Coordinates of all heavy atoms in Angstrom, one line a residue:
M75 N 95.1 132.5 149.8 CA 94.7 133.0 151.2 C 93.4 133.6 151.0 O 93.1 134.4 150.1 CB 95.7 134.0 151.7 CG 95.4 134.6 153.0 SD 96.8 135.4 153.6 CE 96.1 137.1 153.8
K76 N 92.5 133.3 152.0 CA 91.2 133.8 151.9 C 91.0 134.9 153.2 O 91.4 134.5 154.3 CB 90.1 132.7 152.1 CG 88.7 133.2 152.0 CD 87.8 132.1 151.9 CE 86.4 132.8 151.9 NZ 85.4 131.9 151.3
L77 N 90.5 136.0 152.8 CA 90.4 137.0 153.9 C 88.9 136.9 154.4 O 87.9 136.7 153.7 CB 90.6 138.4 153.2 CG 92.0 138.7 152.7 CD1 92.0 140.1 152.0 CD2 93.0 138.7 153.7
S78 N 88.8 137.2 155.6 CA 87.4 137.3 156.2 C 86.7 138.5 155.6 O 87.3 139.5 155.2 CB 87.5 137.3 157.7 OG 87.9 138.6 158.2
R79 N 85.4 138.5 155.8 CA 84.6 139.7 155.3 C 85.0 140.9 156.1 O 85.2 142.0 155.5 CB 83.2 139.4 155.5 CG 82.2 140.4 155.0 CD 80.8 139.9 155.1 NE 80.6 139.0 154.0 CZ 79.4 138.4 153.7 NH1 78.4 138.6 154.5 NH2 79.2 137.6 152.7
R80 N 85.2 140.8 157.4 CA 85.6 141.9 158.2 C 87.0 142.5 157.9 O 87.1 143.7 157.7 CB 85.6 141.6 159.7 CG 86.1 142.6 160.6 CD 86.3 142.1 162.0 NE 85.0 142.3 162.7 CZ 84.7 141.8 163.9 NH1 85.6 141.2 164.5 NH2 83.6 142.1 164.5
V81 N 87.9 141.7 157.7 CA 89.2 142.1 157.2 C 89.2 142.7 155.9 O 89.8 143.8 155.6 CB 90.3 140.9 157.3 CG1 91.6 141.3 156.6 CG2 90.5 140.5 158.7
S82 N 88.4 142.2 154.9 CA 88.3 142.7 153.6 C 87.8 144.1 153.6 O 88.2 145.0 153.0 CB 87.4 141.8 152.7 OG 88.0 140.5 152.6
W83 N 86.6 144.3 154.4 CA 86.1 145.7 154.5 C 87.0 146.6 155.1 O 87.1 147.8 154.8 CB 84.8 145.6 155.2 CG 83.6 145.2 154.4 CD1 83.0 144.0 154.3 CD2 83.0 146.0 153.3 NE1 82.0 144.0 153.3 CE2 82.0 145.2 152.7 CE3 83.2 147.3 152.8 CZ2 81.2 145.7 151.6 CZ3 82.5 147.7 151.7 CH2 81.5 146.9 151.1
F84 N 87.8 146.2 156.2 CA 88.8 147.0 156.8 C 89.8 147.5 155.8 O 90.2 148.7 155.8 CB 89.4 146.3 158.0 CG 90.5 147.1 158.6 CD1 90.3 148.1 159.4 CD2 91.9 146.8 158.4 CE1 91.3 148.9 160.1 CE2 92.9 147.6 158.9 CZ 92.6 148.6 159.8
L85 N 90.3 146.6 155.0 CA 91.3 146.9 154.0 C 90.8 147.9 153.0 O 91.6 148.8 152.6 CB 92.0 145.7 153.3 CG 92.8 144.8 154.3 CD1 93.1 143.5 153.4 CD2 93.9 145.4 154.9
L86 N 89.6 147.7 152.5 CA 89.0 148.5 151.6 C 88.9 149.9 152.2 O 89.1 151.0 151.6 CB 87.6 148.0 151.1 CG 86.9 148.7 150.1 CD1 87.7 148.8 148.7 CD2 85.6 148.1 149.7
A87 N 88.3 150.0 153.4 CA 88.2 151.3 154.1 C 89.5 151.9 154.4 O 89.7 153.2 154.2 CB 87.5 151.1 155.4
F88 N 90.5 151.2 154.7 CA 91.9 151.8 154.9 C 92.4 152.4 153.6 O 93.0 153.5 153.6 CB 92.9 150.7 155.4 CG 94.2 151.2 155.6 CD1 94.5 151.8 156.9 CD2 95.2 151.2 154.6 CE1 95.8 152.4 157.0 CE2 96.5 151.7 154.8 CZ 96.8 152.3 156.0
G89 N 92.2 151.7 152.5 CA 92.7 152.3 151.2 C 91.9 153.6 150.8 O 92.6 154.5 150.4
A90 N 90.6 153.6 151.1 CA 89.9 154.8 150.8 C 90.3 156.0 151.7 O 90.5 157.1 151.3 CB 88.4 154.5 151.0
W91 N 90.4 155.6 153.0 CA 90.9 156.6 154.0 C 92.2 157.2 153.7 O 92.5 158.4 153.7 CB 90.9 156.0 155.4 CG 91.4 156.9 156.4 CD1 92.6 156.9 157.1 CD2 90.7 158.1 157.0 NE1 92.7 157.9 158.0 CE2 91.6 158.6 157.9 CE3 89.4 158.6 156.8 CZ2 91.2 159.8 158.7 CZ3 89.1 159.7 157.5 CH2 89.9 160.3 158.4
S92 N 93.1 156.3 153.2 CA 94.5 156.8 152.8 C 94.4 157.8 151.7 O 95.1 158.9 151.8 CB 95.3 155.6 152.4 OG 96.5 156.1 152.0
W93 N 93.6 157.6 150.7 CA 93.4 158.5 149.6 C 92.8 159.8 150.1 O 93.3 160.9 149.8 CB 92.6 157.9 148.5 CG 93.4 157.2 147.5 CD1 93.8 155.9 147.6 CD2 94.0 157.8 146.3 NE1 94.6 155.7 146.5 CE2 94.7 156.8 145.7 CE3 93.9 159.0 145.8 CZ2 95.4 157.0 144.5 CZ3 94.6 159.3 144.6 CH2 95.3 158.3 144.0
V94 N 91.8 159.8 151.0 CA 91.2 161.0 151.5 C 92.3 161.9 152.3 O 92.4 163.1 152.0 CB 90.0 160.7 152.4 CG1 89.5 162.0 153.1 CG2 88.8 160.2 151.5
V95 N 92.9 161.2 153.1 CA 93.9 161.9 153.9 C 95.0 162.5 153.2 O 95.4 163.7 153.3 CB 94.4 161.0 155.1 CG1 95.6 161.6 155.8 CG2 93.4 160.7 156.1
W96 N 95.6 161.7 152.2 CA 96.8 162.2 151.5 C 96.5 163.1 150.4 O 97.4 164.0 150.1 CB 97.6 161.0 151.1 CG 98.4 160.4 152.2 CD1 98.0 159.3 153.0 CD2 99.5 160.9 152.9 NE1 98.9 159.1 154.0 CE2 99.8 160.1 154.1 CE3 100.3 162.1 152.7 CZ2 100.9 160.3 154.9 CZ3 101.4 162.3 153.6 CH2 101.6 161.5 154.6
V97 N 95.4 163.0 149.8 CA 94.9 164.1 148.8 C 94.8 165.4 149.5 O 95.3 166.4 149.0 CB 93.6 163.6 148.1 CG1 93.0 164.8 147.3 CG2 93.9 162.5 147.1
T98 N 94.1 165.4 150.7 CA 94.0 166.6 151.4 C 95.4 167.2 151.8 O 95.6 168.4 151.7 CB 93.1 166.4 152.7 OG1 91.9 165.9 152.3 CG2 92.9 167.6 153.5
F99 N 96.2 166.3 152.3 CA 97.6 166.7 152.7 C 98.3 167.4 151.5 O 99.0 168.4 151.6 CB 98.3 165.6 153.3 CG 99.8 166.0 153.7 CD1 100.0 166.6 154.9 CD2 100.8 165.7 152.9 CE1 101.2 167.0 155.3 CE2 102.1 166.2 153.3 CZ 102.3 166.8 154.5
A100 N 98.3 166.6 150.3 CA 99.0 167.2 149.1 C 98.4 168.5 148.6 O 99.2 169.4 148.3 CB 98.8 166.2 148.0
K101 N 97.2 168.8 148.8 CA 96.6 170.0 148.5 C 97.1 171.1 149.4 O 97.4 172.2 149.0 CB 95.0 170.0 148.5 CG 94.4 169.3 147.3 CD 92.8 169.3 147.6 CE 92.1 168.5 146.5 NZ 90.7 168.5 146.7
N102 N 97.1 170.8 150.7 CA 97.6 171.7 151.7 C 99.1 171.9 151.5 O 99.5 173.1 151.7 CB 97.3 171.2 153.1 CG 95.9 171.3 153.4 OD1 95.1 172.0 152.7 ND2 95.4 170.4 154.3
L103 N 99.8 171.0 151.1 CA 101.3 171.1 150.9 C 101.5 172.1 149.7 O 102.4 173.0 149.7 CB 101.9 169.8 150.6 CG 103.4 169.8 150.4 CD1 104.2 170.2 151.6 CD2 103.9 168.4 149.9
W104 N 100.7 171.9 148.7 CA 100.9 172.7 147.5 C 100.6 174.1 147.7 O 101.2 175.1 147.2 CB 100.0 172.2 146.3 CG 100.4 172.8 145.0 CD1 99.7 173.8 144.4 CD2 101.4 172.4 144.2 NE1 100.4 174.0 143.2 CE2 101.4 173.2 143.0 CE3 102.5 171.5 144.3 CZ2 102.3 173.2 142.0 CZ3 103.4 171.4 143.2 CH2 103.4 172.3 142.1
A105 N 99.5 174.4 148.6 CA 99.1 175.8 148.9 C 99.8 176.4 150.1 O 99.4 177.4 150.5 CB 97.6 175.7 149.1
D106 N 100.8 175.7 150.5 CA 101.5 176.2 151.8 C 102.1 177.6 151.6 O 102.8 177.9 150.6 CB 102.7 175.2 152.1 CG 103.5 175.6 153.4 OD1 102.8 175.9 154.4 OD2 104.6 175.8 153.3
A107 N 101.7 178.4 152.5 CA 102.3 179.8 152.5 C 103.2 180.1 153.6 O 103.6 181.3 153.8 CB 101.0 180.8 152.5
S108 N 103.5 179.2 154.4 CA 104.4 179.3 155.6 C 105.8 179.5 155.2 O 106.6 179.9 156.1 CB 104.1 178.3 156.6 OG 104.7 177.0 156.1
G109 N 106.2 179.1 154.1 CA 107.6 179.1 153.6 C 108.3 177.8 153.9 O 109.5 177.6 153.5
L110 N 107.6 176.8 154.4 CA 108.3 175.4 154.6 C 108.4 174.7 153.3 O 109.5 174.1 153.0 CB 107.5 174.6 155.6 CG 107.5 175.0 157.0 CD1 106.5 174.2 157.8 CD2 108.9 174.8 157.6
A111 N 107.3 174.8 152.5 CA 107.3 174.0 151.2 C 107.9 174.7 150.0 O 108.6 174.1 149.2 CB 105.8 173.6 150.9
F112 N 107.9 176.1 150.1 CA 108.4 176.8 148.9 C 109.3 178.0 149.5 O 108.8 178.6 150.4 CB 107.3 177.3 148.0 CG 106.5 176.3 147.4 CD1 105.4 175.8 147.8 CD2 107.0 175.7 146.2 CE1 104.6 174.8 147.2 CE2 106.4 174.7 145.5 CZ 105.2 174.2 146.1
D113 N 110.3 178.2 148.9 CA 111.2 179.4 149.3 C 111.4 180.1 148.0 O 112.1 179.7 147.1 CB 112.5 178.9 149.9 CG 113.4 180.0 150.3 OD1 112.9 181.0 150.7 OD2 114.6 179.8 150.3
H114 N 110.9 181.3 147.9 CA 110.9 182.1 146.7 C 110.4 181.3 145.5 O 111.1 181.3 144.5 CB 112.3 182.7 146.5 CG 112.8 183.5 147.6 ND1 112.3 184.7 148.0 CD2 113.8 183.2 148.5 CE1 112.9 185.1 149.1 NE2 113.9 184.3 149.4
D115 N 109.3 180.7 145.6 CA 108.6 179.9 144.6 C 109.4 178.7 144.1 O 109.1 178.2 143.1 CB 108.3 180.8 143.4 CG 107.2 181.8 143.7 OD1 106.4 181.5 144.6 OD2 107.2 182.8 143.0
R116 N 110.4 178.3 144.9 CA 111.1 177.0 144.6 C 110.8 176.0 145.7 O 110.9 176.3 146.9 CB 112.6 177.3 144.5 CG 113.0 178.4 143.4 CD 114.4 178.5 143.2 NE 114.9 177.3 142.4 CZ 116.0 177.0 142.2 NH1 117.0 177.6 142.8 NH2 116.3 176.0 141.5
P117 N 110.6 174.8 145.2 CA 110.3 173.7 146.2 C 111.5 173.5 147.2 O 112.7 173.5 146.7 CB 110.0 172.5 145.4 CG 109.8 173.0 144.0 CD 110.4 174.3 143.9
T118 N 111.2 173.3 148.5 CA 112.2 173.0 149.4 C 112.4 171.5 149.6 O 111.5 170.7 149.1 CB 111.9 173.7 150.8 OG1 110.7 173.2 151.3 CG2 111.8 175.2 150.7
A119 N 113.4 171.1 150.4 CA 113.5 169.7 150.8 C 112.3 169.1 151.5 O 111.9 168.0 151.3 CB 114.8 169.4 151.6
Y120 N 111.7 170.0 152.3 CA 110.5 169.6 153.0 C 109.3 169.3 152.1 O 108.7 168.2 152.3 CB 110.0 170.8 153.9 CG 108.7 170.7 154.6 CD1 108.7 170.1 155.9 CD2 107.5 171.1 154.0 CE1 107.5 170.0 156.6 CE2 106.3 170.9 154.7 CZ 106.3 170.4 156.0 OH 105.1 170.3 156.6
F121 N 109.2 170.1 151.1 CA 108.2 169.7 150.0 C 108.5 168.4 149.4 O 107.6 167.6 149.2 CB 108.2 170.9 148.9 CG 107.3 170.6 147.8 CD1 106.0 170.9 147.8 CD2 107.8 170.0 146.6 CE1 105.1 170.6 146.8 CE2 107.0 169.7 145.5 CZ 105.7 170.0 145.6
W122 N 109.7 168.1 148.9 CA 110.0 166.9 148.2 C 109.8 165.7 149.1 O 109.4 164.7 148.6 CB 111.4 167.0 147.6 CG 111.5 168.0 146.5 CD1 112.3 169.1 146.5 CD2 110.8 167.9 145.2 NE1 112.0 169.7 145.3 CE2 111.2 169.1 144.5 CE3 109.9 167.0 144.7 CZ2 110.6 169.3 143.2 CZ3 109.4 167.3 143.4 CH2 109.7 168.4 142.7
V123 N 110.3 165.8 150.4 CA 110.1 164.6 151.3 C 108.6 164.3 151.5 O 108.2 163.2 151.4 CB 110.8 165.0 152.6 CG1 110.3 164.0 153.8 CG2 112.3 164.9 152.5
H124 N 107.8 165.4 151.7 CA 106.4 165.2 152.0 C 105.6 164.7 150.7 O 104.7 164.0 150.8 CB 105.8 166.3 152.7 CG 106.3 166.5 154.1 ND1 107.4 167.0 154.5 CD2 105.7 165.9 155.2 CE1 107.6 166.9 155.8 NE2 106.5 166.2 156.2
L125 N 106.0 165.3 149.6 CA 105.4 164.8 148.3 C 105.8 163.3 148.1 O 104.9 162.5 147.7 CB 106.0 165.6 147.1 CG 105.3 165.3 145.8 CD1 103.8 165.6 145.8 CD2 106.0 166.1 144.7
T126 N 107.0 162.9 148.4 CA 107.4 161.5 148.3 C 106.5 160.7 149.2 O 106.0 159.6 148.8 CB 108.9 161.3 148.6 OG1 109.6 162.1 147.7 CG2 109.3 159.9 148.4
L127 N 106.3 161.1 150.5 CA 105.5 160.4 151.4 C 104.0 160.3 150.9 O 103.4 159.2 151.0 CB 105.5 161.1 152.8 CG 106.7 161.0 153.6 CD1 106.5 161.9 154.8 CD2 106.8 159.6 154.1
A128 N 103.5 161.3 150.3 CA 102.2 161.3 149.8 C 102.1 160.3 148.6 O 101.1 159.5 148.6 CB 101.7 162.7 149.3
I129 N 103.0 160.3 147.7 CA 103.0 159.4 146.5 C 103.1 158.0 147.0 O 102.3 157.1 146.5 CB 104.1 159.8 145.5 CG1 103.8 161.1 144.9 CG2 104.3 158.7 144.5 CD1 104.9 161.7 144.1
V130 N 103.9 157.7 147.9 CA 104.1 156.3 148.4 C 102.8 155.8 149.2 O 102.3 154.7 148.9 CB 105.3 156.2 149.4 CG1 105.3 154.8 150.1 CG2 106.6 156.3 148.6
S131 N 102.3 156.8 149.9 CA 101.0 156.4 150.6 C 99.8 156.3 149.6 O 98.9 155.4 149.8 CB 100.7 157.6 151.6 OG 101.6 157.6 152.6
F132 N 99.8 157.0 148.5 CA 98.8 156.8 147.5 C 99.0 155.4 146.9 O 97.9 154.6 146.8 CB 98.9 157.8 146.3 CG 98.5 159.2 146.6 CD1 99.2 160.2 146.0 CD2 97.5 159.5 147.4 CE1 98.8 161.5 146.3 CE2 97.2 160.8 147.7 CZ 97.8 161.9 147.1
A133 N 100.2 154.9 146.6 CA 100.3 153.7 146.1 C 100.0 152.6 147.0 O 99.3 151.6 146.6 CB 101.9 153.5 145.6
L134 N 100.5 152.6 148.2 CA 100.2 151.6 149.2 C 98.7 151.6 149.5 O 98.1 150.5 149.7 CB 100.9 151.8 150.6 CG 102.5 151.6 150.4 CD1 103.2 152.0 151.7 CD2 102.8 150.2 150.0
G135 N 98.0 152.8 149.6 CA 96.6 152.8 149.9 C 95.8 152.1 148.8 O 94.8 151.4 148.9
T136 N 96.2 152.4 147.5 CA 95.6 151.8 146.3 C 95.8 150.2 146.4 O 94.9 149.5 146.2 CB 96.2 152.3 145.0 OG1 96.0 153.7 145.0 CG2 95.7 151.7 143.8
I137 N 97.0 149.8 146.7 CA 97.3 148.4 146.7 C 96.4 147.7 147.8 O 95.8 146.6 147.6 CB 98.8 148.1 146.9 CG1 99.5 148.5 145.6 CG2 99.0 146.6 147.2 CD1 101.1 148.6 145.8
I138 N 96.4 148.3 149.0 CA 95.6 147.7 150.1 C 94.1 147.7 149.8 O 93.5 146.8 150.1 CB 95.9 148.5 151.4 CG1 97.4 148.2 151.8 CG2 95.0 148.1 152.5 CD1 98.0 149.0 152.9
G139 N 93.7 148.8 149.2 CA 92.3 148.9 148.9 C 91.8 147.9 147.8 O 90.8 147.3 147.9
V140 N 92.7 147.7 146.8 CA 92.4 146.7 145.8 C 92.4 145.2 146.4 O 91.5 144.5 146.1 CB 93.4 146.7 144.7 CG1 93.4 145.5 143.8 CG2 93.3 148.0 143.9
I141 N 93.3 145.0 147.3 CA 93.2 143.7 148.1 C 92.0 143.5 148.9 O 91.3 142.5 148.8 CB 94.5 143.5 149.0 CG1 95.8 143.3 148.2 CG2 94.3 142.3 149.9 CD1 97.1 143.5 149.0
G142 N 91.5 144.6 149.6 CA 90.3 144.6 150.2 C 89.1 144.4 149.3 O 88.2 143.6 149.6
L143 N 89.1 145.1 148.2 CA 88.0 145.0 147.2 C 87.9 143.5 146.7 O 86.8 143.0 146.6 CB 88.2 146.0 146.1 CG 87.2 146.0 145.0 CD1 85.8 146.3 145.5 CD2 87.5 146.9 143.9
R144 N 89.0 142.9 146.4 CA 89.0 141.6 145.9 C 88.5 140.6 147.0 O 87.8 139.7 146.7 CB 90.4 141.1 145.5 CG 90.9 141.7 144.2 CD 92.3 141.3 143.8 NE 92.7 141.8 142.6 CZ 93.9 141.7 142.0 NH1 94.8 140.8 142.6 NH2 94.2 142.2 140.9
G145 N 88.8 140.9 148.2 CA 88.3 140.1 149.4 C 86.8 140.2 149.5 O 86.1 139.2 149.7
V146 N 86.3 141.5 149.4 CA 84.9 141.7 149.5 C 84.1 141.0 148.3 O 83.1 140.3 148.6 CB 84.6 143.3 149.4 CG1 83.1 143.5 149.2 CG2 85.1 143.9 150.7
R147 N 84.6 141.0 147.1 CA 84.0 140.4 146.0 C 84.0 138.9 146.2 O 83.1 138.2 145.8 CB 84.7 140.8 144.7 CG 84.4 142.2 144.2 CD 85.0 142.5 142.9 NE 84.6 143.9 142.5 CZ 85.2 144.5 141.5 NH1 86.1 143.8 140.7 NH2 84.8 145.6 141.1
A148 N 85.1 138.4 146.7 CA 85.3 136.9 146.9 C 84.3 136.4 147.9 O 83.9 135.2 147.9 CB 86.7 136.5 147.2
N149 N 83.9 137.2 148.9 CA 83.1 136.8 150.0 C 81.6 136.8 149.7 O 80.8 136.5 150.4 CB 83.3 137.6 151.2 CG 84.6 137.1 152.0 OD1 84.9 136.0 152.0 ND2 85.4 138.1 152.5
K150 N 81.2 137.4 148.4 CA 79.8 137.4 148.1 C 79.2 136.1 147.7 O 79.8 135.2 147.3 CB 79.6 138.4 147.0 CG 79.8 139.8 147.6 CD 79.4 140.9 146.6 CE 79.5 142.2 147.2 NZ 79.0 143.3 146.4

């Protein structure tokens, strides 16, 4: 399957955007002082669920970004 140049750049940008957003979210989650993420210095279910979401999003963002990068390279 051949991706168009526009789609390739979109996928690459989406992968990068995913990393920016979820790294920021993970940092904020780790530093949470509201009591949602940690209860007496122990991770809560909220923490584990959102950490899992971040990890899955990192993986999907990486995969999508790599597909976009390959498309950009193939269109040169």
Side-chain angles (χ1 to χ4, degrees):
M75 178 167 120
K76 185 169 177 160
L77 299 174
S78 70
R79 187 173 280 179
R80 176 185 269 172
V81 170
S82 298
W83 278 107
F84 175 78
L85 293 176
L86 185 59
F88 180 86
W91 177 253
S92 179
W93 269 87
V94 170
V95 168
W96 286 100
V97 166
T98 303
F99 181 82
K101 285 181 185 177
N102 291 337
L103 180 65
W104 192 261
D106 180 57
S108 70
L110 286 173
F112 296 96
D113 185 26
H114 302 295
D115 294 331
R116 300 190 79 193
T118 62
Y120 175 90
F121 174 83
W122 292 115
V123 166
H124 286 85
L125 182 63
T126 302
L127 284 171
I129 291 169
V130 168
S131 294
F132 289 145
L134 292 175
T136 300
I137 292 167
I138 291 169
V140 167
I141 292 169
L143 181 61
R144 287 181 179 177
V146 168
R147 287 183 178 171
N149 282 321
K150 285 188 176 183

